C-alpha cells in the first residue's frame, strides 16, 4: 500500500533558532510559558525581540494542565486578549498543551463549551482560533510538531484529548540552547517520553515506512545519547542530538499517534501521580514483548534496533531504563498484579490502545 505522510508544521532547528521569532510570529503575540522562564531571562528575551507586539504573558503554567486552572485562564484570555493574532508557546509539553487549549475559542466564551465538545467525541470546527508557534525548552514532548494536547481533570479522574486542524503549530522553533538549563530528572523524563513516542509509532497499526525512518533513527540516538547527557548536562552537542531525536520521534508519531504504553500511562498519572515521561516508558519492555511476533513488518523494524532475539531485546531496553534510575515493574509503583492486568485490559480498549498491533494480546 502507498504510504501517506503529512505534517504541515514549518520547522526551524538549530542553535540560535529563537532569534527567528520576530519574523515567524505575526501581529500581536501572547506568550505562554512556565514559571521559571522569567528567572531564566526568557520572558525579557522574548520581550526584547517582539517589543510592543508582546501584549500578554501567561507564565504560571503547571505540569499536566488541569481544567480547573485552564478554565479561568482560557476565559480571561479571550475576554482581554481577543485581538491577539499569535500565541507563542515557550516551554515543555505542558506549556504547549496549554497554548493549544488557549488558541481554540468558543462561541459563548465559556471554556466548558470546549470541554463539552471534546467529551462528545464528535468532530467540530471551532468558533475562533489563533495562530500557534511552539518553541520547546525540553527534548521529548514532540508537541511542537503534532496537533494533540492532553487536558487533565484531576477532580473527575479523567482526561480530554484536543486535536483540531488549527492545533497543529504553524511553526516549530527548536533551539537546543534553550535546553541547557534543564535539570537531570527532567532531561531523563522528557527523553524517555521521546523514546516512547518512537517505539509506539513502530508497534502501531498506522505505521508506514516514512514514520519508521524517523522512529528508528530517534531510538538509536536516544539509546546512545540520553545516558551520556544525564552525566554531562551542559554538553551542547548532546543537547542538540537529543533535541533532534525528540523532533524525529515527534515527526514519527505525528502520523501514527501513540499506542498501548501511552494508554497505560494516563491511568498511572491520574491514579498514581507518575510523571508522564516515566509513566509512558516504564512499561516499554513489557509492551515490546506483547508486540513482538504480531506483524512481520513491525518485527523487522524493531529488529533493526534491538537484534533478532526478543529476550535480549527486552533485556537491552530494561537495562537502559534501569541505568537511568527508572523501575520497570508495576509493583515498583504500588500496583498489584491484578490491578496491572486490569489496567492493561482497560488500556487496550482506549483510543491509543487500539492503535497497538497486539491489542488482543493481553
Amino acid at each position: 500500500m502507498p504510504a501517506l505522510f503529512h505534517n504541515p508544521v514549518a520547522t526551524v532547528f538549530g542553535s540560535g533558532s529563537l532569534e527567528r521569532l520576530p519574523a515567524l510570529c505575526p501581529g500581536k503575540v501572547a506568550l505562554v510559558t512556565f514559571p521559571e522562564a522569567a528567572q531564566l531571562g526568557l520572558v525579557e528575551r522574548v520581550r526584547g525581540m517582539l517589543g510592543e507586539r508582546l501584549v500578554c504573558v501567561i507564565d504560571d503554567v503547571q505540569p499536566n494542565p488541569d481544567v480547573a486552572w485552564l478554565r479561568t485562564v482560557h476565559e480571561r484570555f479571550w475576554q482581554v486578549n481577543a485581538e491577539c493574532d499569535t500565541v507563542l508557546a515557550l516551554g515543555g509539553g505542558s506549556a504547549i498543551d496549554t497554548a493549544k487549549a488557549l488558541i481554540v475559542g468558543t462561541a459563548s466564551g465559556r471554556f466548558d463549551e470546549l470541554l463539552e465538545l471534546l467529551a462528545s467525541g464528535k468532530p467540530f470546527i471551532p468558533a475562533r482560533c489563533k495562530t500557534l508557534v511552539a518553541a520547546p525548552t525540553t527534548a521529548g514532548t514532540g508537541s511542537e510538531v503534532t496537533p494533540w494536547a492532553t487536558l487533565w481533570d484531576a477532580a473527575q479522574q479523567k482526561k480530554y484529548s484536543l486535536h483540531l486542524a488549527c492545533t497543529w503549530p504553524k511553526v516549530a522553533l527548536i533551539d537546543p540552547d534553550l535546553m541547557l538549563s534543564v535539570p537531570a530528572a527532567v532531561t531523563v523524563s522528557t527523553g524517555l517520553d521521546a523514546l516512547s513516542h518512537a517505539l509506539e509509532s513502530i508497534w502501531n497499526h498506522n505505521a508506514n515506512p516514512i514514520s519508521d525512518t524517523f522512529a528508528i533513527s530517534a531510538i538509536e540516538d536516544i539509546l546512545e545519547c540520553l545516558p551520556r547527557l544525564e552525566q554531562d548536562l551542559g554538553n551542547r552537542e548532546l543537547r542538540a542530538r537529543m533535541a533532534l531525536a525528540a523532533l524525529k520521534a515527534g515527526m514519527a508519531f505525528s502520523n501514527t499517534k501513540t499506542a498501548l504504553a501511552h494508554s497505560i500511562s494516563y491511568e498511572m498519572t491520574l491514579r498514581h501521580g507518575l510523571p508522564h515521561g516515566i509513566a509512558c516508558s516504564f512499561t516499554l519492555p513489557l509492551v515490546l514483548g506483547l508486540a513482538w511476533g504480531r506483524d512481520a513488518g513491525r518485527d523487522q523494524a524493531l529488529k533493526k534496533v534491538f537484534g533478532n532475539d526478543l529476550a535480549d531485546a527486552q533485556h537491552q531496553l530494561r537495562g537502559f531504563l534501569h541505568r537511568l534510575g527508572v523501575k520497570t515493574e508495576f509493583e515498583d509503583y504500588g500496583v498489584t498484579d491484578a490491578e496491572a492486568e486490569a489496567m492493561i485490559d482497560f488500556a487496550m480498549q482506549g483510543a491509543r490502545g487500539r492503535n497497538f498491533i497486539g491489542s488482543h494480546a493481553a
Side-chain angles (χ1 to χ4, degrees):
M1 294 287 291
L4 172 64
F5 188 92
H6 171 71
N7 191 296
V9 183
T11 302
V12 181
F13 178 89
S15 176
S17 295
L18 194 66
E19 298 301 321
R20 304 278 295 276
L21 204 58
L24 297 173
C25 287
K28 296 179 179 179
V29 180
L31 171 64
V32 176
T33 192
F34 54 103
E36 297 82 7
Q39 184 180 347
L40 292 169
L42 293 176
V43 175
E44 282 308 305
R45 187 176 171 190
V46 171
R47 194 183 306 279
M49 286 189 280
L50 296 179
E52 293 182 355
R53 290 201 291 130
L54 183 62
V55 297
C56 172
V57 176
I58 298 169
D59 61 358
D60 55 348
V61 171
Q62 299 298 316
N64 301 326
D66 193 277
V67 297
W69 174 78
L70 275 170
R71 182 176 292 107
T72 301
V73 175
H74 186 278
E75 293 180 0
R76 185 172 63 237
F77 172 77
W78 282 96
Q79 288 167 4
V80 177
N81 297 106
E83 84 288 356
C84 175
D85 301 291
T86 301
V87 174
L88 167 63
L90 177 65
S94 294
I96 301 175
D97 280 3
T98 297
K100 287 178 179 177
L102 285 184
I103 68 170
V104 181
T106 59
S108 66
R110 294 171 46 252
F111 178 70
D112 286 345
E113 181 185 339
L114 174 59
L115 296 185
E116 290 160 8
L117 289 167
L118 294 175
S120 75
K122 299 176 182 177
F124 67 94
I125 297 174
R128 300 174 285 178
C129 204
K130 305 293 186 184
T131 296
L132 175 64
V133 173
T137 58
T138 61
T141 175
S143 191
E144 69 276 7
V145 289
T146 70
W148 300 291
T150 301
L151 313 181
W152 302 86
D153 187 340
Q156 298 297 321
Q157 288 284 285
K158 63 188 292 188
K159 72 170 189 69
Y160 299 89
S161 183
L162 174 62
H163 170 208
L164 299 169
C166 71
T167 55
W168 285 97
K170 180 181 179 182
V171 180
L173 283 172
I174 299 136
D175 187 340
D177 292 350
L178 296 175
M179 303 167 191
L180 287 167
S181 61
V182 178
V186 179
T187 297
V188 168
S189 180
T190 53
L192 292 178
D193 191 16
L195 177 65
S196 182
H197 291 154
L199 283 167
E200 295 258 89
S201 72
I202 290 177
W203 53 52
N204 198 303
H205 286 302
N206 303 310
N208 63 62
I210 304 170
S211 62
D212 281 352
T213 299
F214 283 119
I216 291 168
S217 180
I219 295 165
E220 291 173 341
D221 283 348
I222 294 166
L223 293 178
E224 196 276 327
C225 186
L226 187 55
R228 293 173 56 200
L229 179 56
E230 185 197 23
Q231 301 301 315
D232 190 7
L233 296 171
N235 189 308
R236 298 171 77 95
E237 178 187 353
L238 293 177
R239 287 289 185 188
R241 287 185 61 191
M242 274 303 301
L244 184 57
L247 171 62
K248 289 185 285 191
M251 294 294 286
F253 93 97
S254 75
N255 275 245
T256 65
K257 305 179 184 178
T258 52
L260 180 60
H262 268 74
S263 191
I264 294 170
S265 81
Y266 302 133
E267 291 295 300
M268 292 298 293
T269 295
L270 279 170
R271 305 190 188 285
H272 297 273
L274 219 55
H276 176 68
I278 308 303
C280 68
S281 62
F282 87 95
T283 60
L284 291 176
L286 168 68
V287 179
L288 174 63
L290 296 175
W292 199 278
R294 296 282 160 181
D295 180 278
R298 303 300 83 221
D299 282 355
Q300 185 178 15
L302 291 168
K303 288 175 181 178
K304 287 180 180 178
V305 177
F306 296 110
N308 295 326
D309 183 77
L310 170 60
D312 182 64
Q314 289 179 294
H315 178 73
Q316 289 178 53
L317 196 47
R318 197 172 287 115
F320 172 79
L321 291 166
H322 289 172
R323 286 195 301 277
L324 293 169
V326 178
K327 298 176 180 179
T328 53
E329 305 300 327
F330 277 99
E331 64 184 20
D332 295 324
Y333 302 98
V335 180
T336 67
D337 289 346
E339 289 171 332
E341 185 175 351
M343 191 180 295
I344 293 170
D345 287 342
F346 179 75
M348 289 277 191
Q349 308 309 313
R352 297 297 183 258
R354 292 194 298 271
N355 293 333
F356 179 55
I357 56 169
S359 56
H360 301 293

